[in-house]
Amino acid sequence: MGPELHLQMIAHRTTELRREADDYRRAREAEEDTKSHSPERRRRSLFGKLIPA
């Protein structure tokens, strides 16, 4: 395998891995955002403010 071909393969794989990492990060952020807007979380924080510990 020539060095040029090897370099192209490395560049292509790097691009694929970065794309996968971005997709994973976006999915994780969307999941966290969904959880932060869930009604259960809001109820707990509301009761925490109304009923002092």
Side-chain angles (χ1 to χ4, degrees), residues 29-42:
E29 288 175 352
E31 183 179 327
E32 289 173 1
D33 187 47
T34 302
K35 286 181 181 178
S36 69
H37 293 298
S38 67
E40 296 85 25
R41 180 170 290 233
R42 278 188 256 150

Side-chain angles (χ1 to χ4, degrees), residues 3-48:
E4 299 87 16
L5 181 58
H6 191 255
L7 183 61
Q8 287 177 352
M9 287 176 59
I10 291 172
H12 181 69
R13 183 67 180 144
T14 302
T15 303
E16 287 178 346
L17 289 173
R18 285 186 178 150
R19 190 175 302 131
E20 288 177 19
D22 286 342
D23 291 343
Y24 178 75
R25 178 186 47 81
R26 274 188 245 119
R28 199 175 65 234
E29 288 175 352
E31 183 179 327
E32 289 173 1
D33 187 47
T34 302
K35 286 181 181 178
S36 69
H37 293 298
S38 67
E40 296 85 25
R41 180 170 290 233
R42 278 188 256 150
R43 255 188 258 128
R44 278 185 285 183
S45 64
L46 175 66
F47 288 131

